[in-house]
Amino acid sequence: MSTIVAPSLLAADFLHLGRDIDMLNRSEADWIHLDIMDGVFVPNISFGFPVINLLKKVTHKPLDAHLMIVQPEKFIDDIAATGATLMNVHYEACTHLHRIVNEIRKKGMKPAVTLNPHTPVSLLEDILPDLDMVLLMSVNPGFGGQQFIAHTVRKVAQLKEMILKQQASALIEVDGGVNLETGRMLVDAGADVLVAGSFIFSAEDPGEMIRLLRAL
Ligand code: DX5
Ligand code: ZN
């Protein structure tokens, strides 16, 4: 089975967004990863609903929404209305994570929980059976083009072990500094989904990079 690849739109050329989405539509990309930031949970602001709401009209690829915001529960209905398939909320941003995860599922989306680089995977032990995916950050969230934090490979292996032990079905997604070299290590450790922004969009042939990541 090939690795699931979710190009991050954050690295696209926003002046030519239609062109870049066309490229993704024609590519083998499995999903499109959307980085939504609020300038509070992370020190940056990206794009919001005026952009996201247009995407479903121009792509049939599943949308993987990564909310880097405080109180993500306020936006479950709005994210569901965009047609997103997956909604990722940060563990660090949710006091009542179990309630939020269930609410996301009730609204017809697949719930996923994201961990910052400093958050141990062991904290997911009690919520794991309720999740469709865990997203491990391999950079501190907020910006594209940062250096991969190598420790993430060990976290992927730990999480994989926990999933197998619990006979859970959550996918493991990794986001930040992913390229062919780091992607290889992550897939070997048990990652199912790779998010990549700058590696794909700065390449001369982005479609080829997507193909190579899927083949890892
Ligand atoms: C970082 C975002 C990532 C980012 C990845 O906050 O969550 O999705 O776009 O970018 P690269 O692949 O360039 O590290
Ligand atoms: Zn992301």
Side-chain angles (χ1 to χ4, degrees), residues 158-175:
Q158 281 168 7
L159 179 58
K160 185 75 189 178
E161 205 183 306
M162 201 193 290
I163 289 170
L164 291 173
K165 201 164 147 201
Q166 290 197 18
Q167 296 183 305
S169 55
L171 295 174
I172 302 177
E173 180 176 51
V174 185
D175 182 6

Side-chain angles (χ1 to χ4, degrees), residues 179-200:
N179 54 35
L180 290 177
E181 196 185 325
T182 56
R184 169 84 275 152
M185 296 189 282
L186 292 165
V187 170
D188 286 348
D192 306 290
V193 188
L194 299 176
V195 176
S198 42
F199 176 69
I200 289 173

Side-chain angles (χ1 to χ4, degrees), residues 201-216:
F201 284 95
S202 66
E204 202 139 312
D205 185 349
E208 176 65 5
M209 295 308 122
I210 292 169
R211 210 182 56 73
L212 292 173
L213 285 170
R214 287 186 91 240
L216 287 178

Side-chain angles (χ1 to χ4, degrees), residues 6-205:
S8 163
L9 213 58
L10 192 63
D13 178 349
F14 289 162
L15 269 182
H16 301 99
L17 197 52
R19 182 200 65 191
D20 283 1
I21 290 167
D22 268 356
M23 178 279 288
L24 293 178
N25 284 342
R26 279 182 276 107
S27 79
E28 292 179 29
D30 297 276
W31 305 343
I32 297 179
H33 183 82
L34 305 175
D35 289 304
I36 302 156
M37 308 179 187
D38 65 355
V40 179
F41 183 71
V42 289
N44 197 9
I45 295 175
S46 54
F47 47 77
F49 292 109
V51 174
I52 305 164
N53 281 326
L54 294 174
L55 292 178
K56 264 292 157 202
K57 296 189 180 133
V58 291
T59 185
H60 292 299
K61 304 269 185 192
L63 302 176
D64 174 30
H66 174 197
L67 279 87
M68 286 162 273
I69 66 172
V70 297
Q71 299 184 304
E73 64 274 16
K74 282 188 180 170
F75 295 98
I76 296 173
D77 283 339
D78 296 290
I79 295 292
T82 69
T85 300
L86 296 113
M87 179 167 170
N88 296 269
V89 295
H90 268 260
Y91 179 89
E92 303 83 3
C94 301
T95 307
H96 300 288
L97 186 60
H98 184 268
R99 178 186 296 148
I100 294 170
V101 160
N102 282 306
E103 195 63 28
I104 292 171
R105 193 178 295 287
K106 232 192 283 165
K107 299 292 170 176
M109 295 180 288
K110 298 182 179 203
V113 170
T114 310
L115 301 185
N116 274 336
H118 72 275
T119 306
V121 294
S122 57
L123 290 173
L124 295 177
E125 207 158 4
D126 290 339
I127 192 84
L128 198 55
D130 299 303
L131 304 180
D132 280 58
M133 190 169 76
V134 175
L135 167 51
L136 298 178
M137 290 308 300
S138 41
V139 297
N140 284 295
F143 303 92
Q146 301 183 81
Q147 194 176 351
F148 181 78
I149 298 173
H151 171 65
T152 316
V153 178
R154 224 177 319 144
K155 288 176 78 172
V156 171
Q158 281 168 7
L159 179 58
K160 185 75 189 178
E161 205 183 306
M162 201 193 290
I163 289 170
L164 291 173
K165 201 164 147 201
Q166 290 197 18
Q167 296 183 305
S169 55
L171 295 174
I172 302 177
E173 180 176 51
V174 185
D175 182 6
V178 170
N179 54 35
L180 290 177
E181 196 185 325
T182 56
R184 169 84 275 152
M185 296 189 282
L186 292 165
V187 170
D188 286 348
D192 306 290
V193 188
L194 299 176
V195 176
S198 42
F199 176 69
I200 289 173
F201 284 95
S202 66
E204 202 139 312
D205 185 349

